Amino acid sequence: MCRMFGLFGSNKRNKIIECIESLKAGGPDEQNVRFLRTGLLGHTRLSINGLLNGSQPYTLDGRHCIFVGEIYNHKELSATYGITRHPGDADGSVILPLFERLGPRFVEELDGMFAIAIVDTRQNDKLTLYTDSVAVKPVYYKHSPGCLSFASEIEALPDFEKDDRTIQASGFDTYGTFRACLGAQTIFPNVKVLEPATYLTFDGERASIDHYVPSPERSLPERYDVAALEADVSQAVAWMTNAEVPGCSTLSGGIDSSLIAVLANRHPGMLNAFNVWYEGAWQEDETAYAKMVAEHAQLRYHQVTVENDRFPSLIERMCRALSQPNAAAHCLSTFRLYEAISSGGFRVALVGEGADDFFGGYDRMVHVATAFEQEEALSAYIRDLAAIPSTLRARLIDPEAVDMQYAMRLKEFIRGLPGSSWFRKIVQFEAKHRLPYYILHRVDALSMAHSVEARVPFCLPSVYRHAAVCEDGQLVNQQARKRPIYECARGVLPSAVLARRKQPFLLPIAGMLRPGFPIFDYLMDTVRSSCRTFDFVNKDVLLGCIEENMHRPTTALGNSIWAWLIFEVWANEHDITFR
């Protein structure tokens, strides 16, 4: 896993050192820049495999390539296409030979998580940017006539200027509606991000976007077969445990991360598992289940604690690491988790994200699948996506910065997605239109801030393709959710873990946003400061929410207050102005 950036069609090279420095956490081992006739490629390396032979850019017959992430089927591709490899070659060494043999759509053959940039000097530095099928690795870009820049993080864009930091006040409403900014348009008007399974071509003047279909999605099984799914999950985990540096697993106590951790432990060097929780006694605590799985599988268990007095400094550092604001309350624990993993000397962590999204694991998805009144279930589903309820947003945010038609537009967008039922359309939305932006880009930012590569087995096309051939009832019903994952875990995990009621991993924020907790003091200090958002956020309404939560704490209130706090701190850390 590494970081990358590039700039074409512009002579602005004064920020190259700044770009490298901003990406160094995600690439601390080696930094390279290659200057070409019309532009440049920059790469910062986090050495995972090919420690001696993995320097980038790669070069072959006038083409140059940089990439971040992992290509897990590189050995199989080398054998299939007769690519000569040398001992110690990294996985990325197959990219240019594949491009030469198959052309721009070579990416369809890759099973992995990646972002790739290829420049063809024989075609006047023609640039092609790729992202993987779920956009695990983000590629942010800025395009203007005759110029295109790209980077793994927004502030590393070589031509990202002060004016680019001015955003629409309505961005807060969008963020409150979806907990993050979803889709190709980022919160910054001049910056976009590549969508899943797409590639961008820049010919020196124009930029065009094309979509591709990964090979595993084109060769679907005839029917759902749990044995085939088990085999592909096991293969994905085997691929992802392959590293020349220490690796571990994360272990929340839920079924997804538990399954991955136990399967990973079947491979050398994957004995360690990390769980994170908060200081104090909270009813949401799942550490007992995590410890149960660790004991069952004879894992070496590491307990990470988010100490109350560290909340303020962690929040600021976390917001600094995020290219875009994210209202997930457990962002903080995720950031602390990867800090501990890095401090323990680990550079690779296997995680369980993606199973809920592809296989129907969220309550809101089950409600849509099993509801008698589908339209009402869909409306409830849309309400559940919000960090701040629509009724509160209408009072909290200036009317000119509120979009009250979002629900209707989102419903029409979901209606147009592929799928034979509302449930299948919801699965498509969750997996390809929410998972990348709300979850995966967050995980990428917070892990790479600590020089840790987070690997996601459930997000490989060879794994999630099995959900596509399931009948709705094979995924969820009134009694069960993501049934294929439970079937894979049967006999692998303790029965108590399989029988427990699913709950999301939460920060018990409503209980903490009260006097006596350092996070409450930090909240009030922030409210009393010269807040950037108070030009469009009603301070009195916000204070009313804080007062009510002090006496009658609820999840909705806690999440709403937290969402505002994170947005405000993020704006401060990134020197954002609003219009």
Side-chain angles (χ1 to χ4, degrees):
M1 194 76 76
C2 309
R3 288 308 208 206
M4 68 179 190
F5 66 93
L7 175 65
F8 287 82
S10 171
N11 292 320
K12 293 181 180 178
R13 300 185 175 186
N14 57 307
K15 290 182 60 178
I16 292 176
I17 300 300
E18 187 179 328
C19 293
I20 291 173
E21 288 300 319
S22 68
L23 295 176
K24 226 173 189 178
D29 299 321
E30 184 179 354
Q31 298 81 39
N32 291 310
V33 177
R34 178 160 298 170
F35 295 98
L36 303 171
R37 192 176 70 81
T38 66
L40 61 92
L41 294 172
H43 188 265
T44 67
R45 187 180 182 208
L46 176 63
S47 300
I48 301 293
N49 286 314
L51 301 184
L52 298 179
N53 297 345
S55 294
Q56 299 187 41
Y58 300 108
T59 301
L60 180 66
D61 295 335
R63 294 190 182 100
H64 304 271
C65 167
I66 53 176
F67 109 106
V68 303
E70 304 289 339
I71 299 168
Y72 297 111
N73 63 337
H74 63 98
K75 292 181 180 178
E76 293 83 350
L77 291 171
S78 295
T80 299
Y81 293 101
I83 298 172
T84 302
R85 306 287 296 283
H86 302 286
D89 278 356
D91 52 327
S93 62
V94 303
I95 293 173
L96 288 177
L98 283 173
F99 189 96
E100 184 176 53
R101 288 162 172 77
L102 304 176
R105 302 190 77 86
F106 81 98
V107 69
E108 295 175 342
E109 301 303 311
L110 307 184
D111 208 352
M113 55 181 200
F114 52 81
I116 299 170
I118 296 175
V119 178
D120 194 336
T121 60
R122 297 170 303 180
Q123 297 187 56
N124 195 31
D125 288 354
K126 182 179 180 181
L127 170 69
T128 311
L129 298 173
Y130 297 88
T131 191
D132 62 72
S133 63
V134 198
V136 177
K137 306 305 297 177
V139 182
Y140 299 101
Y141 67 95
K142 182 181 173 187
H143 175 238
S144 57
C147 178
L148 189 135
S149 64
F150 66 90
S152 300
E153 299 172 17
I154 289 177
E155 293 198 5
L157 290 166
D159 58 348
F160 190 71
E161 306 292 351
K162 182 175 178 59
D163 289 348
D164 292 314
R165 297 178 187 273
T166 298
I167 65 178
Q168 299 284 348
S170 58
F172 178 66
D173 181 59
T174 301
Y175 157 86
T177 300
F178 298 114
R179 304 174 189 256
C181 296
L182 309 186
Q185 180 60 60
T186 72
I187 199 167
F188 299 95
N190 297 329
V191 179
K192 293 187 176 182
V193 62
L194 276 185
E195 296 180 278
T198 59
Y199 61 96
L200 178 153
T201 304
F202 178 64
D203 64 5
E205 185 62 32
R206 295 171 298 277
S208 59
I209 302 284
D210 291 284
H211 294 262
Y212 69 88
V213 180
S215 178
E217 291 188 34
R218 298 199 312 270
S219 55
L220 296 176
E222 290 186 10
R223 63 185 66 84
Y224 167 61
D225 178 1
V226 65
L229 174 59
E230 289 172 349
D232 281 337
V233 172
S234 296
Q235 176 64 77
V237 172
W239 276 339
M240 294 189 184
T241 57
N242 178 35
E244 297 174 28
V245 294
C248 65
S249 300
T250 63
L251 185 58
S252 70
I255 183 175
D256 307 328
S257 63
S258 297
L259 177 60
I260 296 302
V262 173
L263 293 178
N265 192 34
R266 296 175 179 176
H267 300 274
M270 291 300 294
L271 178 65
N272 294 275
F274 284 75
N275 173 272
V276 63
W277 192 242
Y278 307 94
E279 180 183 350
W282 303 99
Q283 66 177 8
E284 298 92 344
D285 189 353
E286 297 185 296
T287 56
Y289 291 106
K291 291 175 182 176
M292 184 186 301
V293 171
E295 183 177 351
H296 172 79
Q298 297 184 314
L299 290 160
R300 185 175 296 149
Y301 181 81
H302 302 259
Q303 185 63 62
V304 181
T305 301
V306 186
E307 301 89 348
N308 288 330
D309 60 0
R310 290 196 63 196
F311 266 61
S313 63
L314 284 172
I315 287 173
E316 291 174 359
R317 290 170 54 213
M318 175 196 79
C319 287
R320 206 173 304 140
L322 293 168
S323 281
Q324 298 193 81
N326 192 298
H330 53 283
C331 269
L332 195 71
S333 56
T334 302
F335 186 76
R336 175 70 182 95
L337 174 66
Y338 287 113
E339 178 186 61
I341 288 172
S342 179
S343 296
F346 299 92
R347 283 201 162 184
V348 169
L350 270 65
V351 302
E353 275 82 358
D356 286 325
D357 312 82
F358 283 105
F359 290 90
Y362 298 122
D363 284 345
R364 59 180 176 267
M365 301 171 79
V366 177
H367 292 159
V368 171
T370 59
F372 177 76
E373 177 47 64
Q374 290 279 289
E375 287 289 335
E376 175 52 36
L378 185 61
S379 296
Y381 169 85
I382 291 172
R383 289 194 296 271
D384 190 68
L385 295 175
I388 307 173
S390 58
T391 52
L392 176 55
R393 290 201 313 278
R395 295 188 295 117
L396 181 66
I397 306 172
D398 186 296
E400 292 186 2
V402 174
D403 178 7
M404 298 307 294
Q405 301 300 314
Y406 84 96
M408 183 182 303
R409 288 202 307 278
L410 178 57
K411 186 179 290 188
E412 289 307 307
F413 177 78
I414 293 174
R415 191 189 305 274
L417 292 175
S420 57
S421 65
W422 273 118
F423 170 69
R424 298 315 292 234
K425 293 174 185 291
I426 289 296
V427 170
Q428 179 76 9
F429 175 75
E430 292 277 358
K432 292 300 180 83
H433 300 278
R434 185 173 184 270
L435 170 67
Y437 313 103
Y438 175 57
I439 298 177
L440 298 178
H441 291 179
R442 172 220 310 165
V443 171
D444 174 74
L446 301 181
S447 60
M448 293 298 278
H450 299 293
S451 305
V452 175
E453 176 176 285
R455 296 180 170 182
V456 281
F458 291 119
C459 290
L460 285 191
S462 53
V463 172
Y464 68 68
R465 65 182 180 142
H466 291 276
V469 297
C470 288
E471 301 290 338
D472 290 4
Q474 290 177 309
L475 290 175
V476 302
N477 59 30
Q478 292 280 8
Q479 289 75 42
R481 68 200 66 231
K482 56 180 176 186
R483 296 177 64 193
I485 305 302
Y486 277 85
E487 291 172 357
C488 285
R490 197 166 291 122
V492 178
L493 300 181
S495 57
V497 174
L498 295 173
R500 57 166 293 205
R501 184 182 183 279
K502 174 184 170 56
Q503 72 173 46
F505 187 82
L506 297 171
L507 166 64
I509 190 63
M512 292 181 174
L513 288 175
R514 295 181 296 167
F517 289 91
I519 182 63
F520 179 81
D521 297 335
Y522 181 71
L523 168 68
M524 296 313 297
D525 288 344
T526 304
V527 172
R528 296 186 192 106
S529 67
S530 300
C531 290
R532 295 172 186 253
T533 58
F534 279 169
D535 283 343
F536 53 87
V537 170
N538 189 313
K539 182 177 180 179
D540 291 336
V541 173
L542 177 64
L543 287 170
C545 291
I546 295 170
E547 178 74 19
E548 184 177 349
N549 190 75
M550 287 168 54
H551 303 291
R552 294 177 296 278
T554 66
T555 299
L557 276 174
N559 285 342
S560 298
I561 298 165
W562 173 263
W564 172 81
L565 176 64
I566 294 305
F567 193 89
E568 175 66 36
V569 175
W570 176 84
N572 279 330
E573 292 298 322
H574 294 271
D575 194 22
I576 302 300
T577 56
F578 298 93
R579 61 170 181 239

Short mmCIF file of all heavy atoms in Angstrom, two decimals, residues 29 54 85 118 144 207 209-210 249 266 382 402 462 480 539:
data_model
loop_
_atom_site.label_atom_id
_atom_site.label_comp_id
_atom_site.label_asym_id
_atom_site.label_seq_id
_atom_site.Cartn_x
_atom_site.Cartn_y
_atom_site.Cartn_z
N ASP A 29 8.49 4.80 3.41
CA ASP A 29 9.73 4.06 3.15
C ASP A 29 10.53 4.57 1.96
O ASP A 29 11.75 4.40 1.91
CB ASP A 29 9.41 2.57 2.94
CG ASP A 29 8.75 1.97 4.18
OD1 ASP A 29 9.17 2.32 5.29
OD2 ASP A 29 7.82 1.16 4.03
N GLY A 54 10.48 -3.32 -5.33
CA GLY A 54 9.16 -2.71 -5.50
C GLY A 54 9.14 -1.22 -5.76
O GLY A 54 8.09 -0.59 -5.66
N ARG A 85 8.56 -13.04 -14.63
CA ARG A 85 8.75 -12.39 -13.32
C ARG A 85 10.11 -12.80 -12.77
O ARG A 85 10.66 -13.85 -13.12
CB ARG A 85 7.66 -12.82 -12.34
CG ARG A 85 6.23 -12.60 -12.84
CD ARG A 85 5.83 -11.14 -12.83
NE ARG A 85 5.81 -10.56 -11.50
CZ ARG A 85 4.83 -10.77 -10.60
NH1 ARG A 85 3.81 -11.57 -10.90
NH2 ARG A 85 4.87 -10.19 -9.43
N ILE A 118 -1.27 5.23 -15.38
CA ILE A 118 -0.39 4.82 -16.48
C ILE A 118 -0.24 6.00 -17.44
O ILE A 118 -1.25 6.60 -17.85
CB ILE A 118 -0.94 3.60 -17.23
CG1 ILE A 118 -0.99 2.39 -16.29
CG2 ILE A 118 -0.10 3.28 -18.46
CD1 ILE A 118 -1.64 1.16 -16.91
N SER A 144 -9.27 20.78 -15.30
CA SER A 144 -9.64 22.03 -15.98
C SER A 144 -9.10 21.91 -17.40
O SER A 144 -8.28 21.04 -17.69
CB SER A 144 -9.02 23.23 -15.25
OG SER A 144 -7.61 23.09 -15.18
N ALA A 207 -10.90 15.05 -20.52
CA ALA A 207 -10.92 13.88 -19.64
C ALA A 207 -12.22 13.12 -19.87
O ALA A 207 -13.30 13.73 -19.92
CB ALA A 207 -10.80 14.29 -18.18
N ILE A 209 -14.51 9.42 -18.87
CA ILE A 209 -14.67 8.35 -17.89
C ILE A 209 -15.31 7.14 -18.56
O ILE A 209 -16.30 7.27 -19.28
CB ILE A 209 -15.56 8.79 -16.71
CG1 ILE A 209 -14.98 10.03 -16.02
CG2 ILE A 209 -15.74 7.65 -15.71
CD1 ILE A 209 -13.80 9.79 -15.14
N ASP A 210 -14.75 5.97 -18.33
CA ASP A 210 -15.33 4.72 -18.81
C ASP A 210 -15.50 3.76 -17.63
O ASP A 210 -14.73 3.79 -16.67
CB ASP A 210 -14.43 4.06 -19.86
CG ASP A 210 -14.39 4.84 -21.16
OD1 ASP A 210 -15.37 4.76 -21.92
OD2 ASP A 210 -13.39 5.54 -21.40
N SER A 249 -5.13 -9.06 12.51
CA SER A 249 -6.54 -8.90 12.18
C SER A 249 -7.19 -7.94 13.17
O SER A 249 -6.72 -7.79 14.31
CB SER A 249 -7.27 -10.25 12.23
OG SER A 249 -6.72 -11.17 11.31
N ARG A 266 -5.15 -19.32 10.28
CA ARG A 266 -4.72 -20.59 9.70
C ARG A 266 -3.44 -20.44 8.87
O ARG A 266 -2.89 -21.43 8.39
CB ARG A 266 -5.84 -21.16 8.83
CG ARG A 266 -7.10 -21.51 9.63
CD ARG A 266 -8.23 -21.96 8.71
NE ARG A 266 -9.41 -22.33 9.48
CZ ARG A 266 -10.58 -22.69 8.95
NH1 ARG A 266 -10.70 -22.74 7.62
NH2 ARG A 266 -11.60 -23.00 9.71
N ILE A 382 -34.34 5.55 3.90
CA ILE A 382 -33.65 6.81 3.60
C ILE A 382 -33.46 7.63 4.87
O ILE A 382 -32.41 8.24 5.08
CB ILE A 382 -34.43 7.59 2.52
CG1 ILE A 382 -34.34 6.84 1.19
CG2 ILE A 382 -33.90 9.01 2.39
CD1 ILE A 382 -35.22 7.40 0.10
N VAL A 402 -30.40 24.20 2.99
CA VAL A 402 -31.06 22.91 3.20
C VAL A 402 -31.72 22.45 1.91
O VAL A 402 -32.37 23.23 1.22
CB VAL A 402 -32.12 23.00 4.33
CG1 VAL A 402 -32.89 21.69 4.44
CG2 VAL A 402 -31.45 23.33 5.66
N SER A 462 -14.20 -11.62 -6.49
CA SER A 462 -14.34 -13.08 -6.44
C SER A 462 -15.15 -13.53 -5.24
O SER A 462 -15.70 -14.64 -5.24
CB SER A 462 -12.96 -13.74 -6.40
OG SER A 462 -12.17 -13.19 -5.35
N ALA A 480 -33.36 -13.92 9.77
CA ALA A 480 -31.91 -13.89 9.60
C ALA A 480 -31.48 -12.88 8.54
O ALA A 480 -32.28 -12.50 7.68
CB ALA A 480 -31.40 -15.28 9.20
N LYS A 539 -26.97 28.45 16.31
CA LYS A 539 -26.30 28.13 17.57
C LYS A 539 -27.29 27.83 18.67
O LYS A 539 -27.07 26.92 19.50
CB LYS A 539 -25.39 29.29 17.96
CG LYS A 539 -24.60 29.06 19.24
CD LYS A 539 -23.68 30.24 19.52
CE LYS A 539 -22.87 30.02 20.80
NZ LYS A 539 -21.96 31.16 21.07
#
